Every structure is written in C-alpha cells, then in structure tokens.
Amino acid sequence: DAKTTQPPSMDCAEGRAANLPCNHSTISGNEYVYWYRQIHSQGPQYIIHGLKNNETNEMASLIITEDRKSSTLILPHATLRDTAVYYCIVRPMDSSYKLIFGSGTRLLVRP
Amino acid sequence: DTGVSQNPRHKITKRGQNVTFRCDPISEHNRLYWYRQTLGQGPEFLTYFQNEAQLEKSRLLSDRFSAERPKGSFSTLEIQRTEQGDSAMYLCASTSDNTEAFFGQGTRLTVV
C-alpha cells in the first residue's frame, strides 16, 4: 500500500504557482520522497526527489518539513502543459527502485 | 536513444486468447520493471528484473502472467487465457545505478 496521502484534485491559474501537498507521516529515516507526474495517455515522468533538504531543479521545487512527515511540490509558474496527475511516493534506499504509487493529485491548470 | 519503447501501443483481444507485450529499455539500464494501471488508479508494481534475473514478483502477478528478460536487454510480458479484468495499461520502466526510472508510454490492453 502507498505510504502517502494526497488530495484527489487541485486547480490553479496559468502562470501562478501550484503547490501540491503530500502527507507521509510514517516515513522512515532511510526513505526518500519522490514525485512523478503522468500526463494523459503517457507513462509517468520523474520530477524531483529529496531526503531531508529542500530540492530544486528545472521543473520544480520540493519542500520537506523538518520532521519529514509531509512535503510540498511547487511548480513556480504553472502552464497548461502541467495539467497532469502528480504522484508523491516514498521509496526506500535499496537498489530495487520499486515504486508504490497511490492515486495521486489531479492538477488542472486553468487558462 | 529514444527512451523506453513499448510495443504494441494498443492491443484488443478476445477473452481466452494469449497476448505478449514487448519492452525495450534504455540501452545501458540494467533494471527493468513492469507495472499495470487501471482507469483512475496509479500504476501497480508487477515485477522487476536486474539484468536477466527476475528478482521480485507481486502477488498481482497470477500464474497466467509470465515475464522474461532472456538476455538482460528487452523484456516480454505474456498473459495467457486473458480475462476482461486484465484490461489495463501495462507500463514498462527501466533504470540503473544513479538514475531515475524512465517509463515507456505503455501498452493498452482491451479484452473483449
């Protein structure tokens, strides 16, 4: 079973920041937080991951709370192409890279 | 490299028939994964290979399902005696040390 809880849907206006929350209250010290997204009819796409520290890349920023029980994915300037289902995943530090997906958050970016 | 390639993209089959899907991973990736995704749900892990060795199988993978990766490169997923409940998107992903998982676009199976 997925170890994360996400709101089923959210929306934001084009050009504004999209902040997607995720609860992972049972995360252990040897588990990462990963975010993937899935645009309609495509395979999931990696966005970002982190362990303790906040992370930023060309796609998004990841803010992890100090107790690591929750995180927020930030898309700083959402575009219509960011409309997708966003999955927050807790992954152990083993070599298997097995991903346990929940139901994700369906983000709709409005024009 | 064009990424993870899956064939066919779509497959319609009659109940009771056997089907086989193929996945070509990114060439230098040694790990390959199969997932299944039904409408409105996230992908569910089925199995994974490291090189040619199948290291883990989900309980979702009934005895009608078999996956192979004979030379540690491409993989096939076969479903025997298909049932309507097998209708889903079958996703393949690959990775190696120090890279993230890259997914193919999937094979959509419809059992009629």
Side-chain angles (χ1 to χ4, degrees), chain B residues 73-84:
Chain B
S73 57
F74 73 91
S75 176
T76 57
L77 178 67
E78 180 183 17
I79 309 174
Q80 296 182 327
R81 304 180 304 281
T82 52
E83 302 172 356
Q84 286 189 317

Side-chain angles (χ1 to χ4, degrees), chain A residues 54-71:
Chain A
N54 299 336
E55 303 287 343
T56 295
N57 63 21
E58 64 279 4
M59 291 183 69
S61 294
L62 174 61
I63 308 299
I64 302 174
T65 58
E66 193 169 344
D67 63 7
R68 302 186 69 239
K69 293 185 176 182
S70 65
S71 60

Side-chain angles (χ1 to χ4, degrees), chain B residues 5 8 18 20 23 27 39 49 52 67 71 76 79-80 83 85-87 90 92 96 106:
Chain B
S5 175
N18 299 344
T20 300
C23 171
S27 58
L39 201 60
F49 293 83
E52 66 276 9
K71 297 182 179 179
T76 57
I79 309 174
Q80 296 182 327
E83 302 172 356
D86 297 331
S87 295
Y90 290 85
C92 175
S96 64

Side-chain angles (χ1 to χ4, degrees), chain A residues 27-69:
Chain A
I27 193 170
S28 64
N30 66 344
E31 291 177 319
Y32 293 99
V33 178
Y34 272 73
W35 284 82
Y36 276 76
R37 73 179 182 183
Q38 188 172 25
I39 296 170
H40 183 61
S41 297
Q42 297 185 21
Q45 175 192 23
Y46 167 79
I47 302 173
I48 199 167
H49 76 280
L51 184 62
K52 297 180 186 177
N53 300 322
N54 299 336
E55 303 287 343
T56 295
N57 63 21
E58 64 279 4
M59 291 183 69
S61 294
L62 174 61
I63 308 299
I64 302 174
T65 58
E66 193 169 344
D67 63 7
R68 302 186 69 239
K69 293 185 176 182

Side-chain angles (χ1 to χ4, degrees), chain B residues 30-107:
Chain B
N30 62 344
R31 286 192 287 279
L32 185 149
Y33 308 78
W34 286 99
Y35 290 81
R36 180 176 70 185
Q37 186 174 25
T38 53
L39 201 60
Q41 303 298 314
E44 298 172 293
F45 170 81
L46 292 179
T47 188
Y48 95 96
F49 293 83
Q50 180 158 313
N51 300 312
E52 66 276 9
Q54 189 172 18
L55 295 188
E56 185 173 347
K57 292 194 289 186
S58 163
R59 57 182 170 79
L60 295 174
L61 212 65
S62 77
D63 56 5
R64 295 185 298 106
F65 287 68
S66 63
E68 295 183 343
R69 194 183 184 200
K71 297 182 179 179
S73 57
F74 73 91
S75 176
T76 57
L77 178 67
E78 180 183 17
I79 309 174
Q80 296 182 327
R81 304 180 304 281
T82 52
E83 302 172 356
Q84 286 189 317
D86 297 331
S87 295
M89 175 77 83
Y90 290 85
L91 292 160
C92 175
S94 71
T95 186
S96 64
D97 295 342
N98 302 318
T99 71
E100 310 315 322
F102 291 82
F103 284 79
Q105 293 195 307
T107 294

